[in-house]
């Protein structure tokens, strides 16, 4: 909302604090309720996008992204992919390729091993392997 113009309504603390329905309005223990209202055009876009997110097609498409995000998260957390060990684009690219290969080899080893050591959520890749194999 930082880039867009919006209206913000803030309730007075004297009105908000004694209200019996306060827990349904806000989670703040001390501050009063505050509401941000987007301009009509942006509100309609936001509403339409939220309705689209309820469709099965959108959720299928997003499931693929969720699998990719999980892979990236694994590489960042387990293999330090957020920082490069090398200088220069070419060497950094080699690091990324080797890290991705190592991740794939580890996943294949997990797939072959019948007794998994860790309990992980099934990735999109694993689901595809299960469907074809």
């Amino acid at each position: 909302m930082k880039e867009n113009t919006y209206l913000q309504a803030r309730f007075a603390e004297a009105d908000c604090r004694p209200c019996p329905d306060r827990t349904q309005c806000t989670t703040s223990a001390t501050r009063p309720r505050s509401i941000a209202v987007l301009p009509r055009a942006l509100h309609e876009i936001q509403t339409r996008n939220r309705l689209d997110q309820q469709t099965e097609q959108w959720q299928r498409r997003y499931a693929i992204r969720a699998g990719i995000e999980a892979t990236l998260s694994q590489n960042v957390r387990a293999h330090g992919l957020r920082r490069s060990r090398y200088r220069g684009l070419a060497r950094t690219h080699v690091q990324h390729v080797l890290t991705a290969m190592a991740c794939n080899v580890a996943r294949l080893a997990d797939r072959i091993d019948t007794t998994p050591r860790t309990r992980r959520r099934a990735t999109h890749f694993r689901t595809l392997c299960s469907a074809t194999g």
Side-chain angles (χ1 to χ4, degrees):
M1 294 233 278
K2 292 178 183 176
E3 298 88 30
N4 300 310
T5 305
Y6 63 95
L7 295 173
Q8 183 156 9
R10 294 176 191 240
F11 292 87
E13 194 169 336
D15 296 331
C16 191
R17 204 175 268 256
C19 179
D21 296 325
R22 178 180 169 78
T23 57
Q24 296 173 350
C25 285
T26 183
T27 57
S28 175
T30 58
R31 297 171 58 174
R33 171 85 186 260
S34 150
I35 300 174
V37 181
L38 290 171
R40 180 181 297 263
L42 290 176
H43 175 72
E44 289 172 357
I45 291 170
Q46 186 180 57
T47 304
R48 191 171 42 247
N49 287 343
R50 287 180 177 164
L51 287 174
D52 285 346
Q53 291 174 4
Q54 303 303 315
T55 64
E56 186 178 330
Q57 178 187 8
W58 188 92
Q59 289 177 358
R60 254 186 290 130
R61 233 180 42 233
Y62 190 78
I64 295 169
R65 177 181 173 161
I68 292 167
E69 292 288 341
T71 300
L72 288 173
S73 176
Q74 178 186 3
N75 284 327
V76 166
R77 285 182 287 113
H79 306 293
L81 200 60
R82 191 172 307 280
R83 294 190 182 266
S84 177
R85 298 172 187 231
Y86 308 103
R87 288 184 188 209
L89 190 58
R91 290 179 181 173
T92 301
H93 176 70
V94 170
Q95 177 190 346
H96 288 175
V97 169
L98 292 175
T99 302
M101 286 174 53
C103 181
N104 287 337
V105 167
R107 286 182 172 186
L108 285 172
D110 285 346
R111 177 83 174 128
I112 292 169
D113 188 12
T114 57
T115 56
R117 285 172 279 195
T118 61
R119 291 180 7 177
R120 286 197 304 233
R121 189 178 66 170
T123 63
H124 185 63
F125 176 72
R126 183 173 290 199
T127 306
L128 286 174
C129 288
S130 300
T132 60

